[in-house]
Amino acid sequence: MAFAEKIRLLRKERNMTQAEVAAKVGLATRGYQNMELGSEPRYKNILRIANFYDVSVDWLMSRTEKREINR
């Protein structure tokens, strides 16, 4: 599953709109929409999204199947 699909899945699991998530992570709505459509995210935006959804960056970037953060 690609990054765009994962953030769409996470957003839908929380029953939120793209605008709501964008506001929570400090992005413009259009910027968040573009990421869900497949544009390459900047590193700082990956971190913001991972922190908001409480998932690992490695999972978001398909480096592991483990969704949880190692603490």
Side-chain angles (χ1 to χ4, degrees):
M1 186 181 313
F3 177 81
E5 295 170 304
K6 288 181 180 181
I7 63 172
R8 189 176 311 114
L9 170 74
L10 291 165
R11 179 177 58 79
K12 289 182 178 187
E13 286 178 357
R14 291 198 180 187
N15 295 314
M16 296 178 77
T17 67
Q18 291 174 332
E20 290 171 332
V21 173
K24 293 283 187 183
V25 298
L27 297 170
T29 301
R30 191 68 187 143
Y32 187 83
Q33 290 170 336
N34 287 339
M35 284 190 285
E36 278 199 11
L37 292 172
S39 72
E40 289 292 319
R42 291 185 173 154
Y43 180 70
K44 67 179 182 178
N45 294 336
I46 296 169
L47 288 176
R48 288 176 179 173
I49 290 168
N51 287 334
F52 175 72
Y53 288 121
D54 200 30
V55 296
S56 76
V57 170
D58 282 340
W59 179 77
L60 279 177
M61 302 310 294
S62 298
R63 292 177 47 135
T64 184
E65 294 297 315
K66 187 177 176 189
R67 195 170 173 172
E68 302 82 27
I69 299 171
N70 290 329
R71 296 189 195 254

